[in-house]
Amino acid sequence: MEIADIKQRLTIQTVLKSYNLQADKNGMLNCPFHKEDQASLKIYTDTNTFNCFGCGANGDVIEFIQKKEACNKHEAIVRAKALTGKLSPEKSGINSAKSRLVGTTKEIKQDHTEILTKIFTSFKNGIKSSTAKRPQSYLESRSLRHERLELGYNSGQFHHRGKLNEADKNACIAAGLLIPYKGKTPNASGQTFTAFAKDCIIFPLKNKQNEIVSLYGRSITDNKNAKHFYLKDRNGLYPNYPKQETTKLILTEAIIDAATLLQIPEITNNYEILSLYGTNGLTEEHKTAIKDLQNLEEIIFFFDGDKAGMEAINKYQQELNELLPNIKLSTVETPLEEDVNSLLSGHDAEIFTHLLENRKPSRASLRDVPFILTENKEAEPIPTTAKLNTRNPETDEGGSRIPFKINYRNEQFITFTTEELQIVLLGGINLSQLDRLRATIKITRKDTKNPLHSIRHTIDLYHSDYLEKFINKASEQLETGTTILRMALAELIDQIEKYRLNQIESRKEKRPQERKLSQQQEQRAINYLKSPKLMERTNEDIGRTGMVGEENNRLLMYLVFTSRLREQPLHIISLGASGTGKTYLQERVSELIPEHHKLEITILSENAFYYFGQQELKHKLILIEDMDGAENVLYPLRELQSKKKISKTIPIKDSKGNLKTITLKVEGPICLAGTTTREKLYEDNANRSLLIYLDSSKNHKEQIMKYQRKLSAGKIATKEEQQLIEFFKDMQTILKPIKVRNPFAEYLVIPEHVFKPLRTNSHYLAFIETITFYHQYQREVKTDPATNERYIETTLEDIEWANRLLKDVLLAKADELSGECRRLFERLKTYLTQNNKTSFFKNEIREAFRMNPNNLKYYLVQLLRYNYLKVVGGNRHKSGFEYEIKNVNEYQQLNKSLDNALDAALEDIKKSLVGSAGNRRITESVIHSTN
């Protein structure tokens, strides 16, 4: 068998399965060729190849086997042939798939994986249907998003109307998906079978090979008392077997709780999740899977906040402590009568990270521990009990432990409950004045329904004299002890203070925190920046983040954004008609930059820039969505671009009312990016920036629409895209300021056709230096003996990349016509060529191009003015003028002359360096870099 035949027949999934490896739904898995905490190996099923972003390993199926087995290529080919079935497994040393152990150490007699996978796929497609309103409504009520989870809906119709062939029907019966009626008597509809878990949300249970081996159904017909269904001979785990590198494992009481946590990236990035099957659902398969985790450090119980949940935690902690005595056990204190899923329904996702961070170590018993319910999304942790240090003669002579519950769900009706009293704050809490605590409160005794045992009063709780009088009055009306009231109000005031401070803090503008990388994240980013063909790889991966098309512009913009870290940042403006994707390009590329390095502006007042902190904008990327909305700030922006600082002197009054002046200073440099449809309107800013024109071709629009359709259909791996975006941010974080020297700068002459050559020349040189800066981990760091300045040097490869990426920019700078006018002119040429014409009329073109007549008239006037067209016939009033193009090849000639000028500059560098004996060392490095 030829190697090409092997590669055609053998899939990468088959190879992975032979090593008990399984990629996730995004095609990612932990690389088997190096140690890591997060998956970095990407599987490409369409090409049967793999690539690791961490260690750089990549190749086809044979190369995977060769690296995994550490063997030579011939041995790898032999093993690959065996996997295709052309050699017996005994000869190849590879076990047959039929001899695998599924789930536990017990061999399953009959494998239902194929039919379960097929039926579950139909369930999964069914829940996406526009007709599946009821299950979608149920999932929404449980705060579960089906597009983020692997689940489906069983309407009970999968076997009706000939949907299954005879073989699949028999397989469904064997697997328990179809249950025959007793006596096989048809029901009223003529069916002889009932479907497993009808009207249920279906979750897959998986074995160690990540294959579906069983199903769990949760009924949607009774939300309060949900019915649970498992297939016969239940096996497999949800959501899957924990990864071998797991260090922290969360155990949940129910599958729906595990599904809830799987939606929260902050948890899935730091913990592995495994569901039990209820309070009695820790199976031997669970224990075996947990015991096999060699790197496990901690098991975290996240059960319901009820008596059954606490008792189950006690029981399972004792079992796991005996099984794994060296593993840390801890418990999340779930609020009373809440579960994981209900917490997400009533709170923001931050509550889970808060509860996990405040988890408690294992205790002998948790039965008597009271819990506190808090609806404050930002509040600090509140003690579960409040201990009374003073004696209460009416309750307990020695003091007692009284549990408190405070409910912030309705900010206008906050309730605070003790064993004896309920206190309600009517109208909420004033957050603006921290020096007073004025509130309208209602206090009621809980042990009686007598309306006289209730009191309402408006009082400043910080006014001790009035508070003491109120306690005495309330004690008389409620017929309760003053100590109980005093302690309850003291605890209430303490909790309100915490609530107010946290609410005020949460309403402040939250600025992005500086990105911090782990040692492993930093090393992965360095490995990427050290990889060969860095520019090609970067451009390809930018496309994999969801940026469709614009291959040249997206890499150019990414490098410009990278230049913000340098002393002389570049700036960029995207030009094009409305709807061509200017904002889309800028947004997608800017997503690759860390949040604390960028500032997005929609509308800003004229003086706003002067009130930033002095160094708040230093080395920041300033993003203007539409420059039409930022006209007022274009002047300070130009000053920040050119002078790298702005200042303004304003008068203020001191404490005595005297006027004095102060100077507001804001320092740069900044990197500015903006979009506009009117390039001439912002010419002063455009002169300081690189100008790019967006691709408005039909092919590009079709690419974008195709991506949009796939995204809507759920066929885009958005999780993988987000992981790659975060990885780009990691790379940007480890780029450090360093001086760049270009030993070839004196030989680089921009083409003579370019308008405004002074600024264009500086942009050209700065862009070359930016490419060198991006390659800083591949260049030798040198030290100038005279100044002790550390620097890296530009290579000819950097210059070649700059010429390639800036070609369209320089061409636009050399063109007399604006971008839109040039685009129309080239369409005219193509139109005349395709229709074998040499002349045209305006109305003919307007109908063919479906253009606004005013826009067409404007562009034709420009082409006549610059002598690109001439009038050869027609008249103004009847048919209109007839136009003819003077020189059809003028743009190709301009393009060719620009290419020749750039190529000539590179050739001159090589000749000059080869001819200079004093530059022999540089020449050798140049020749080496070009080879």
Side-chain angles (χ1 to χ4, degrees):
M1 185 187 298
E2 299 294 333
I3 293 178
D5 295 332
I6 296 174
K7 292 180 180 180
Q8 185 176 2
R9 294 188 182 188
L10 183 59
T11 65
I12 190 72
Q13 296 101 319
T14 303
V15 175
L16 292 175
K17 191 174 291 186
S18 71
Y19 294 112
N20 290 332
L21 298 174
Q22 176 67 42
D24 62 20
K25 62 182 179 181
N26 296 319
M28 301 294 296
L29 73 154
N30 286 76
C31 181
F33 310 126
H34 73 285
K35 293 182 178 180
E36 60 179 356
D37 294 331
Q38 292 184 340
S40 64
L41 187 74
K42 171 67 177 176
I43 300 300
Y44 302 94
T45 55
D46 52 344
T47 58
N48 276 330
T49 57
F50 68 95
N51 181 57
C52 178
F53 299 106
C55 65
N58 59 76
D60 55 28
V61 289
I62 294 176
E63 289 167 316
F64 188 96
I65 296 172
Q66 189 176 352
K67 289 186 69 67
K68 181 65 178 171
E69 299 289 342
C71 61
N72 58 40
K73 189 168 185 178
H74 175 72
E75 293 172 334
I77 292 173
V78 172
R79 293 178 184 274
K81 285 183 178 179
L83 288 176
T84 63
K86 292 300 181 181
L87 292 178
S88 65
E90 292 76 10
K91 292 181 180 180
S92 66
I94 298 176
N95 293 330
S96 170
K98 293 183 179 179
S99 65
R100 280 194 317 236
L101 296 180
V102 180
T104 67
T105 55
K106 297 179 181 179
E107 183 178 355
I108 293 179
K109 295 180 179 179
Q110 189 173 1
D111 187 359
H112 305 298
T113 298
E114 184 176 351
I115 189 62
L116 291 177
T117 303
K118 182 175 181 178
I119 298 300
F120 178 73
T121 301
S122 70
F123 293 161
K124 190 162 61 171
N125 293 333
I127 205 166
K128 299 176 184 177
S129 171
S130 58
T131 61
K133 300 296 184 184
R134 203 156 60 99
Q136 290 174 5
S137 176
Y138 173 82
L139 291 176
E140 184 177 353
S141 71
R142 303 308 297 254
S143 299
L144 298 177
R145 299 182 60 180
H146 64 82
E147 64 271 15
R148 289 189 177 183
L149 296 168
E150 191 176 10
L151 51 78
Y153 174 65
N154 179 12
S155 63
Q157 307 294 315
F158 66 89
H159 63 297
H160 286 187
R161 302 183 187 92
K163 293 181 180 179
L164 294 177
N165 57 39
E166 195 63 29
D168 285 347
K169 188 166 100 173
N170 292 333
C172 286
I173 296 172
L177 290 168
L178 290 178
I179 305 164
Y181 287 108
K182 292 182 179 180
K184 296 186 179 181
T185 303
N187 63 2
S189 61
Q191 295 292 324
T192 58
F193 300 97
T194 182
F196 160 79
K198 182 181 178 183
D199 292 325
C200 286
I201 301 296
I202 305 296
F203 297 83
L205 310 184
K206 298 186 177 182
N207 62 11
K208 197 170 185 178
Q209 288 74 37
N210 209 36
E211 299 169 328
I212 299 176
V213 292
S214 190
L215 298 177
Y216 160 73
R218 185 182 179 96
S219 171
I220 68 171
T221 56
D222 190 347
N223 202 357
K224 293 183 179 179
N225 299 296
K227 296 180 180 179
H228 308 275
F229 300 88
Y230 292 94
L231 281 176
K232 63 180 182 180
D233 302 324
R234 179 186 66 198
N235 60 97
L237 303 179
Y238 182 83
N240 44 43
Y241 268 64
K243 298 176 183 176
Q244 283 301 307
E245 61 272 16
T246 298
T247 57
K248 296 178 181 179
L249 177 66
I250 296 176
L251 297 182
T252 65
E253 182 177 320
I255 286 177
I256 195 172
D257 295 335
T260 302
L261 296 179
L262 288 172
Q263 300 176 118
I264 306 171
E266 292 82 358
I267 294 180
T268 55
N269 290 340
N270 297 292
Y271 305 91
E272 192 74 5
I273 301 165
L274 181 62
S275 172
L276 306 188
Y277 302 137
T279 52
N280 294 311
L282 179 64
T283 67
E284 289 302 320
E285 188 171 2
H286 285 99
K287 294 178 183 178
T288 302
I290 296 172
K291 191 174 181 180
D292 287 344
L293 301 176
Q294 301 300 317
N295 299 318
L296 186 62
E297 298 173 358
E298 181 181 6
I299 299 174
I300 304 164
F301 289 85
F302 202 162
F303 279 25
D304 295 355
D306 55 17
K307 183 178 179 182
M310 289 183 272
E311 289 176 347
I313 291 173
N314 279 331
K315 179 176 68 173
Y316 292 144
Q317 282 187 340
Q318 293 174 6
E319 290 184 23
L320 292 179
N321 190 42
E322 295 175 1
L323 182 67
L324 303 165
N326 297 322
I327 301 300
K328 177 182 176 182
L329 303 177
S330 59
T331 303
V332 175
E333 293 189 339
T334 309
L336 190 65
E337 301 305 325
E338 295 271 14
D339 56 50
V340 176
N341 182 256
S342 67
L343 284 174
L344 185 60
S345 300
H347 302 76
D348 288 342
E350 287 82 358
I351 191 172
F352 295 106
T353 54
H354 166 73
L355 290 172
L356 281 166
E357 288 169 0
N358 291 277
R359 61 187 180 272
K360 305 298 181 184
S362 173
R363 298 173 183 174
S365 176
L366 298 178
R367 288 193 190 98
D368 300 325
V369 179
F371 288 81
I372 186 166
L373 172 64
T374 172
E375 299 297 338
N376 175 17
K377 299 174 184 177
E378 300 291 340
E380 295 177 356
I382 300 172
T384 56
T385 60
K387 187 170 183 178
L388 301 182
N389 294 320
T390 58
R391 293 188 177 185
N392 182 355
E394 299 190 21
T395 55
D396 191 335
E397 285 296 322
S400 61
R401 295 174 63 85
I402 301 178
F404 296 103
K405 286 202 303 182
I406 189 164
N407 188 324
Y408 298 109
R409 185 183 296 274
N410 186 341
E411 292 183 353
Q412 300 298 312
F413 193 86
I414 298 172
T415 62
F416 179 79
T417 307
T418 70
E419 287 185 347
E420 297 89 359
L421 304 173
Q422 181 183 61
I423 304 176
V424 180
L425 279 80
L426 302 168
I429 300 170
N430 188 342
L431 302 177
S432 60
Q433 294 177 303
L434 291 180
D435 61 338
R436 64 190 65 182
L437 186 53
R438 189 171 181 82
T440 299
I441 62 177
K442 173 187 175 183
I443 305 178
T444 307
R445 274 177 51 179
K446 292 172 60 179
D447 61 346
T448 176
K449 294 183 179 180
N450 189 341
L452 295 178
H453 289 156
S454 178
I455 186 171
R456 298 167 180 82
H457 194 70
T458 299
I459 186 174
D460 184 352
L461 296 174
Y462 281 173
H463 201 302
S464 59
D465 292 340
Y466 288 157
L467 183 60
E468 189 63 29
K469 291 179 182 179
F470 171 70
I471 290 173
N472 292 329
K473 181 180 179 181
S475 176
E476 293 179 4
Q477 185 163 336
L478 296 174
E479 299 180 355
T480 189
T482 57
T483 304
I484 293 176
L485 282 167
R486 193 173 287 112
M487 288 303 303
L489 288 171
E491 179 67 20
L492 173 64
I493 292 169
D494 184 57
Q495 300 305 328
I496 291 175
E497 287 174 337
K498 292 179 181 179
Y499 171 76
R500 286 208 303 184
L501 290 173
N502 279 281
Q503 286 295 99
I504 292 171
E505 190 67 28
S506 68
R507 295 184 183 187
K508 290 181 179 178
E509 180 184 359
K510 294 184 179 180
R511 296 182 179 176
Q513 298 296 314
E514 186 173 351
R515 196 175 185 85
K516 294 181 180 180
L517 306 182
S518 65
Q519 185 176 0
Q520 185 180 21
Q521 287 175 311
E522 185 174 337
Q523 190 57 51
R524 285 182 63 193
I526 292 174
N527 290 341
Y528 189 99
L529 292 173
K530 285 183 176 180
S531 63
K533 296 185 177 180
L534 177 60
M535 297 287 279
E536 292 95 331
R537 188 175 181 183
T538 299
N539 199 6
E540 180 184 347
D541 286 337
I542 291 174
R544 292 176 52 230
T545 63
M547 178 63 242
V548 180
E550 296 289 359
E551 285 81 3
N552 193 79
N553 284 336
R554 71 195 187 196
L555 182 57
L556 173 63
M557 184 174 284
Y558 175 74
L559 291 169
V560 170
F561 290 176
T562 302
S563 75
R564 76 192 184 282
L565 302 170
R566 305 194 64 242
E567 296 176 0
Q568 300 286 342
L570 291 161
H571 316 282
I572 190 166
I573 294 179
S574 303
L575 304 167
S578 178
T580 53
K582 303 180 298 299
T583 304
Y584 169 78
L585 172 65
Q586 181 170 287
E587 285 180 350
R588 295 315 295 256
V589 178
S590 66
E591 285 179 353
L592 311 181
I593 306 300
E595 282 74 11
H596 66 286
H597 279 189
K598 59 188 178 184
L599 174 67
E600 298 185 50
I601 296 174
T602 304
I603 297 177
L604 208 64
S605 65
E606 185 175 359
N607 294 319
F609 266 105
Y610 298 99
Y611 291 92
F612 282 101
Q614 185 168 349
Q615 297 194 356
E616 191 174 348
L617 297 182
K618 204 164 189 176
H619 298 294
K620 286 287 195 299
L621 169 62
I622 309 295
L623 299 162
I624 301 178
E625 183 175 329
D626 192 334
M627 298 189 74
D628 294 346
E631 290 184 61
N632 293 332
V633 296
L634 292 184
Y635 173 72
L637 282 174
R638 286 197 296 270
E639 294 300 295
L640 281 170
Q641 285 177 284
S642 299
K643 296 181 180 179
K644 301 180 182 61
K645 62 181 180 180
I646 55 175
S647 61
K648 183 176 185 177
T649 302
I650 60 173
I652 63 168
K653 287 185 179 181
D654 60 17
S655 58
K656 297 180 179 180
N658 299 320
L659 283 173
K660 64 176 185 178
T661 60
I662 62 169
T663 301
L664 305 174
K665 295 181 180 179
V666 180
E667 297 178 0
I670 65 167
C671 172
L672 177 66
T675 68
T676 181
T677 58
R678 299 185 286 175
E679 56 191 281
K680 296 299 182 184
L681 185 63
Y682 310 106
E683 190 165 357
D684 285 341
N685 291 78
N687 289 337
R688 293 168 170 81
S689 310
L690 298 177
L691 306 181
I692 59 173
Y693 291 89
L694 277 293
D695 184 0
S696 60
S697 66
K698 182 178 179 181
N699 182 49
H700 181 237
K701 291 176 182 177
E702 182 57 39
Q703 282 182 315
I704 295 176
M705 290 188 289
K706 183 178 180 181
Y707 175 85
Q708 292 171 338
R709 288 190 288 266
K710 284 188 174 182
L711 185 63
S712 179
K715 295 184 178 180
I716 298 296
T718 53
K719 184 177 180 180
E720 178 192 340
E721 288 181 355
Q722 190 58 44
Q723 289 174 342
L724 197 51
I725 288 171
E726 294 301 316
F727 182 62
F728 267 101
K729 293 177 183 177
D730 292 345
M731 287 193 293
Q732 287 287 320
T733 302
I734 66 168
L735 290 172
K736 304 301 179 185
I738 190 169
K739 186 72 175 178
V740 175
R741 292 188 181 182
N742 184 354
F744 316 112
E746 297 175 275
Y747 302 95
L748 296 173
V749 180
I750 63 171
E752 59 183 8
H753 316 289
V754 173
F755 297 108
K756 299 178 182 177
L758 291 178
R759 283 205 166 141
T760 303
N761 186 59
S762 65
H763 293 161
Y764 178 51
L765 295 174
F767 188 72
I768 294 172
E769 292 175 9
T770 299
I771 295 175
T772 306
F773 175 80
Y774 186 55
H775 286 80
Q776 61 181 252
Y777 285 94
Q778 300 187 16
R779 303 294 159 80
E780 177 188 357
V781 179
K782 300 180 180 180
T783 304
D784 189 325
T787 62
N788 288 326
E789 182 182 56
R790 291 163 58 83
Y791 65 93
I792 56 178
E793 286 188 345
T794 295
T795 66
L796 282 186
E797 187 179 3
D798 299 340
I799 300 172
E800 290 172 350
W801 266 106
N803 291 347
R804 188 185 311 173
L805 294 174
L806 288 179
K807 178 184 174 183
D808 291 339
V809 175
L810 295 176
L811 189 60
K813 293 271 187 181
D815 195 359
E816 295 177 303
L817 303 178
S818 67
E820 288 301 318
C821 188
R822 168 57 66 184
R823 192 171 286 116
L824 171 67
F825 193 33
E826 294 306 306
R827 285 184 69 189
L828 275 174
K829 295 177 183 178
T830 304
Y831 173 80
L832 294 176
T833 302
Q834 291 176 346
N835 291 277
N836 295 320
K837 292 186 175 183
T838 58
S839 62
F840 63 91
F841 290 90
K842 183 175 71 173
N843 288 338
E844 172 190 359
I845 297 302
R846 195 203 70 76
E847 292 177 4
F849 292 177
R850 301 179 67 184
M851 284 186 65
N852 183 301
N854 291 330
N855 290 345
L856 180 58
K857 180 180 178 181
Y858 172 79
Y859 293 135
L860 291 178
V861 169
Q862 296 299 313
L863 293 171
L864 285 169
R865 181 179 299 170
Y866 286 105
N867 210 28
Y868 287 92
L869 295 179
K870 63 180 179 180
V871 177
V872 295
N875 57 76
R876 181 187 301 275
H877 303 290
K878 293 184 179 180
S879 61
F881 292 117
E882 184 178 7
Y883 301 94
E884 188 177 277
I885 297 175
K886 282 192 171 184
N887 184 0
V888 176
N889 299 318
E890 51 82 28
Y891 195 57
Q892 287 75 15
Q893 293 168 356
L894 178 63
N895 196 344
K896 186 176 181 181
S897 64
L898 187 65
D899 285 344
N900 291 339
L902 295 175
D903 293 340
L906 279 174
E907 288 300 320
D908 289 343
I909 292 173
K910 295 177 183 179
K911 291 178 182 177
S912 299
L913 293 177
V914 170
S916 172
N919 288 312
R920 188 176 305 278
R921 180 181 57 82
I922 299 177
T923 304
E924 292 173 355
S925 67
V926 169
I927 294 173
H928 177 73
S929 70
T930 55
N931 290 337

